[in-house]
Amino acid sequence: MNMFSKKKKEIDEEYLKKGVAKVKDGDVEIAAKNQDTIEDKIVNASALRKYTELGKLMFGMLQDYRKGVYSSVPWFTIASIAFALLYVLNPLDLMPDFIPGLGYVDDFAILTITLRFIETDLHKYLDWKLEEE
């Protein structure tokens, strides 16, 4: 089994749940404060580009949650977003980003799994956002 296969097996829903369980309020702050860096990374990594608009929506939810204007969201969703965004920010995660062609595979997997968990809450947030405008 090669390194890629081993790492791919490590990145699953259980990995995400374990990481999310460790997220604290300070992690949400760190993710929110690094919005520009994370968005640049998502836009510039071709494997992650499809998450550009969803990333903006996730950052919007984090910002509105932090401001206290949007609170009808479970902590698990906020923690999942923070974990996923901080994971993308970290260049030395399970598959270091500098590995050509493979460096963003784990980031892509984490974002994909996260979106599966929080999709309904993102839709609710978007509906709320549209009503507010």
Side-chain angles (χ1 to χ4, degrees):
M1 182 179 290
N2 65 31
M3 181 184 91
F4 176 69
S5 296
K6 286 181 187 175
K7 295 298 181 189
K8 191 175 172 189
K9 284 187 177 195
E10 290 177 27
I11 304 166
D12 58 10
E13 290 181 5
E14 203 54 43
Y15 179 84
L16 179 75
K17 287 178 185 175
K18 286 178 184 175
V20 169
K22 297 175 185 173
V23 172
K24 306 288 182 241
D25 283 333
D27 298 320
V28 174
E29 298 297 317
I30 293 168
K33 288 178 181 173
N34 283 284
Q35 180 173 353
D36 291 340
T37 304
I38 295 168
E39 284 182 346
D40 285 348
K41 191 171 180 180
I42 290 171
V43 169
N44 292 321
S46 60
L48 303 178
R49 199 166 295 135
K50 81 175 225 169
Y51 290 107
T52 302
E53 292 306 313
L54 289 168
K56 289 177 184 177
L57 189 61
M58 288 189 286
F59 274 114
M61 184 188 281
L62 276 187
Q63 297 295 359
D64 287 340
Y65 174 83
R66 287 177 60 229
K67 291 180 212 167
V69 296
Y70 185 73
S71 58
S72 61
V73 59
W75 171 250
F76 181 83
T77 295
I78 295 300
S80 295
I81 291 170
F83 177 78
L85 295 174
L86 289 173
Y87 191 91
V88 169
L89 179 65
N90 182 0
L92 300 174
D93 42 36
L94 287 175
M95 302 271 299
D97 295 342
F98 60 81
I99 298 174
L102 298 177
Y104 294 108
V105 170
D106 58 328
D107 297 350
F108 181 81
I110 290 293
L111 286 168
T112 301
I113 294 167
T114 299
L115 286 170
R116 201 173 328 136
F117 279 126
I118 68 167
E119 184 177 6
T120 301
D121 291 324
L122 277 179
H123 284 290
K124 288 178 185 174
Y125 173 72
L126 186 56
D127 290 344
W128 174 83
K129 197 76 173 161
L130 293 170
E131 286 175 15
E132 291 294 303
E133 293 176 358

